[in-house]
Amino acid sequence: MKVVVSDSSPLNYLALLSDFDLLRQTYGTVVIPPAVYREVVERGAGYPVRDAVLAALGEWVILAQAPDPAKVQPLLRDHRLDLGEGEAIVVAEALGGAPLLMDERQGVSCARSRGMTVIRTPMIYAQAKILGLIGSVRDKLDALRLRGFRLADRHYEQILREVGELTMPE
């Protein structure tokens, strides 16, 4: 079974689009650090993500502390990350470089500079299509954009090309 570590944004968007279980189907186990738990559960009252995380917690969503909290502070200070992003990076590194689900530009840049594999929310949908779990990535990307997800047109088109939903003009 695969393991990924997640920041709050992918959890929020997948729950918002009623696709939270795609995380289990695609990745198996999703590990979240305490700061992400606080963001999506304790501060998530009234949002679909709260109930989704609580329903999966202890089954395929696992709460994990950063083994060395001292490693989190330099990420917050030097890279201007929030606590959830910093803890997620440290937890993913502690798990042998587990892939990281994250969307925020600063966090993605920091994680990639450390050699980590980062999977943004649109690529979760691309992977789900490759696995036959969804029919259309375009519909999901359009829904994300309608809900405020920032996705440049060139990235939108690149993802659709990769999953065969956009062909090159002849």
Side-chain angles (χ1 to χ4, degrees), residues 3-5 67 88-100 114-117:
V3 174
V4 294
V5 176
I89 288 171
V90 171
V91 168
E93 287 177 336
L95 292 173
L100 185 60
R114 297 166 79 89
M116 301 180 77
T117 299

Side-chain angles (χ1 to χ4, degrees), residues 31-110:
V31 176
I32 61 172
V36 170
Y37 177 86
R38 286 190 297 276
E39 287 176 35
V40 299
V41 173
E42 293 175 10
R43 292 185 225 135
Y47 293 99
V49 69
R50 180 181 188 274
D51 293 336
V53 169
L54 287 175
L57 195 63
E59 292 182 32
W60 58 271
V61 172
I62 308 298
L63 187 60
Q65 295 276 7
D68 187 355
K71 290 184 176 181
V72 175
Q73 290 308 314
L75 296 175
L76 309 184
R77 182 187 63 241
D78 299 341
H79 298 278
R80 297 183 317 219
L81 304 185
D82 71 26
L83 187 57
E85 294 162 346
E87 285 186 358
I89 288 171
V90 171
V91 168
E93 287 177 336
L95 292 173
L100 185 60
L101 307 181
M102 184 177 284
D103 291 319
E104 292 78 9
R105 183 177 295 165
Q106 287 291 112
V108 168
S109 176
C110 175

Side-chain angles (χ1 to χ4, degrees), residues 131-153:
L131 294 172
L133 301 173
I134 63 171
S136 170
V137 173
R138 180 186 302 270
D139 292 344
K140 299 301 182 180
L141 298 185
D142 290 346
L144 283 172
R145 287 173 135 189
L146 283 173
R147 286 163 179 83
F149 189 93
R150 293 184 200 171
L151 182 63
D153 288 343

